[in-house]
Every structure is written in C-alpha cells, then in structure tokens.
Amino acid sequence: MAHSTFSQVAVAVPVGNDLSVKRSVFKTNSLRFHDKSWSPVSALNLNLRGTRARGWQTVCMSVPQTSAPKVSVAPLDLEDAKEPPLNIYKPKSPYTATIVSVERLVGPKAPGETCHIVIDHGGNVPYWEGQSYGVIPPGENPKKPGNPHNVRLYSIASTRYGDSFDGKTASLCVRRAVYYDPETGKEDPLKNGVCSNFLCDSKPGDKVQITGPSGKIMLLPEDDPNATHIMIATGTGVAPFRGYLRRMFMESVPTFKFGGLAWLFLGVANVDSLLYDDEFSKYLKDYPENFRYDRALSREQKNKSGGKMYVQDKIEEYSDEIFKLLDGGAHIYFCGLKGMMPGIQDTLKKVAEQRGEKWEEKLSQLKKNKQWHVEVY
C-alpha cells in the first residue's frame, strides 16, 4: 500500500506572450538494484532566475506523489501456478547452478561471519517465498566413502524474482559454521561446517549443486492481502522474512497488493550482527502504517529483569497486542535455531495464563486455523 503525499512545487507561467521556458530540469535520485532502479519521487526543479522581469509569474501548486515507487518484476507468469513448485531437482540428480556474488553481511564486531549468496539458476529451479533449496557441497561424504555429501537445506532469502528481479536467481543467507576446540579455544578446520564454509568461500562463477525447492509450512498466505503477519527470527532465520518483505514492499506485483501489517522481530547478538537492516529500515520509513520492526540485541540490551534481551523478551513486551492480533486471525512465523523455541513457548504460555487462557488449547487452535508456522534447524 503506497502512501500519497502532496508536495508544493514552484512553477513559472507566462503572463504575456512569452511561452518559452528557458530551462526545465527533472532531477531524480535513485537507488539501484543491479540493472533496475528503485526511484524516489521525481522533483521538479525549474530555473526561475529573471522570469518575473520577462513577464512571468511564479505560482505554487500541489502535486500528489507516491512515497515509494516499486520495482517492476518479470516474468509475471511466475504468478500463474496454483501450487508451489516442489522437488523439481532431487539429490540424485541436482541442478548445477552458478554463484553470482558472495557478500559479507555483518560488521567487524559480530560474532562469526554471515554471508549473502546470490545463485543463478537460470529460471530452471523456480520457488515461492518461504521455501528452501538444498545444497550439496563438493567432495565425498566421509561417513560414506565414494558417495556425495548429504544435502544441507537453506531457507531462500529472496522473492521468486530474485535480487535482480528477473526470476533467474535465488539468494541464501548463510552463517559460516566454525568449530572451536573447547580445551585449546582454537579453531579446528576439520570440524568446521562443510557446506557453509564452501558457500561463504565460493567466488562468482563457481558451480554449486542445488536441489528442491522444498517446504510448504512457511509459504506466505496471500488469500487476504490485508492480513497481519508476525515474523519472529533469530540470526539467519530472517531469510524467508526478507523474501516476504521484498514482495510486500519493494516489488510491483500486479496480483499481490499488500495492505495489511507486517511485524518483524529480529534477535541477534549486537548491532554489527543485524541482517538486512538497511532494507527493513527503509520499509519502516516508507510504510509506517504497514510495517513494524523490533530488534532484540542480546549483548547490548537488557530485558526488564536486567538479563540479556532475547526475542521472547520482546514478545512479552508486546504480548497484549500480539495476542489480540492472533485472536483476529494474524499469522505468526518462527524461523531460526531450534533452541529459540522453548524460551518463546514458555513466554507465550506465561502470557496466556496471565490472560486466563490455556496455552495448549490456544496453540492447538492456531495450528488448526493454519496461523502457526515454524521452521527451525
């Protein structure tokens, strides 16, 4: 839902017979995403020096503007399928895709390294927002000599159109898995995550074996474009939500005009660990009525008890609103490390009891209504 604003623009108009405007320049500042531009509204800048002396008058008029023009996407026939694509490529016959780019997402003070990896699938492995790709790293499985490595699943962090908006790429958000010996405190490369290190070390042009897409539980329900979506992520679990939010707020999709509320809770260690923060902050500025964004920084913020601030503490802080939204049919999504769920479940149970409700019954109803979506790993 784009918001219209009205800007005052000065325009010179002729009073006598002089119908010439010496110079009129339209200036546009635009953000670029690959070869497509996401432009703010054009500003009219007329050079008016000396116009009055030539029988001109300057008048002001209100020009309606849209606050955030969206990016056009293609091919739009990706909207035609009634069912999501599933397992087009299987582990025994994966698709060979190509690495487009690998970009470090986090700052120097972040614990660990997280990368944004764009993969070119040539339009041959289509997917929907909320699905996952499997990746088979090169080399052989040490537990099964002569066989390839097992598939590792990664939530896709882009919309079906990809970061270049042409339906030919997919993006993954990958944290490099590094093992430190508890006795020496030193890194043991032999025990590092095989797939995450392969992906984070890859270079543009490298080949990567992918399978899928897979998964239905995290698909974005689009039957009601005015629905409320509450998204709770820890770390790289933000991946599917980046896809949702780009579809809602960045892309111009003729068949999906979002007018509801998207509310993102993101839990990370510190400011340097925030993922896609610039994108989310822009949506907050452009769509304040449709997007809310709450960060839980465990190493920099304290909860009300003086302990570390985790996403469940933010949920408790807004629990009245969240429960009311759920009662009104809101969808709630959880994505991240499976260790996030017990603390969140305990918080929701405590809040439910304070409201005189039985959490088990409420949870059962949410699942029955297909409002509850969980993908943890």
Side-chain angles (χ1 to χ4, degrees), residues 201-213:
D201 288 336
S202 59
K203 302 285 185 289
D206 287 355
K207 299 302 177 185
V208 56
Q209 304 286 307
I210 60 174
T211 67

Side-chain angles (χ1 to χ4, degrees), residues 183-205:
E183 291 183 8
T184 64
K186 292 183 177 176
E187 182 184 334
D188 183 349
L190 294 176
K191 293 183 179 177
N192 284 351
V194 173
C195 198
S196 65
N197 280 272
F198 158 67
L199 288 169
C200 290
D201 288 336
S202 59
K203 302 285 185 289

Side-chain angles (χ1 to χ4, degrees), residues 276-329:
Y276 310 112
D277 192 63
D278 288 349
E279 281 185 30
F280 303 150
S281 297
K282 178 161 176 51
Y283 305 148
L284 202 58
K285 175 173 167 281
D286 290 340
Y287 299 93
E289 294 171 23
N290 302 92
F291 183 52
R292 292 175 69 171
Y293 177 32
D294 283 279
R295 310 162 183 87
L297 308 176
S298 60
R299 298 188 187 181
E300 293 181 358
Q301 296 173 329
K302 300 288 185 199
N303 62 22
K304 65 180 182 183
S305 307
K308 291 184 174 182
M309 174 72 81
Y310 293 110
V311 280
Q312 59 262 36
D313 300 309
K314 282 287 177 187
I315 290 168
E316 187 171 6
E317 192 179 321
Y318 294 103
S319 56
D320 269 353
E321 268 188 277
I322 289 169
F323 270 69
K324 282 173 187 169
L325 290 168
L326 290 173
D327 289 343

Side-chain angles (χ1 to χ4, degrees), residues 71-133:
V71 184
S72 58
V73 292
L76 288 175
D77 59 13
L78 288 178
E79 303 294 325
D80 293 346
K82 299 289 183 255
E83 291 294 321
L86 285 170
N87 302 310
I88 300 169
Y89 287 90
K90 298 182 171 60
K92 288 187 177 176
S93 54
Y95 180 79
T96 302
T98 306
I99 300 289
V100 175
S101 61
V102 178
E103 175 193 355
R104 181 185 167 100
L105 284 174
V106 294
K109 293 179 182 174
E113 180 179 23
T114 302
C115 296
H116 181 73
I117 296 156
V118 179
I119 296 171
D120 184 349
H121 59 79
N124 298 304
V125 197
Y127 57 89
W128 284 7
E129 298 73 24
Q131 290 192 296
S132 299
Y133 270 172

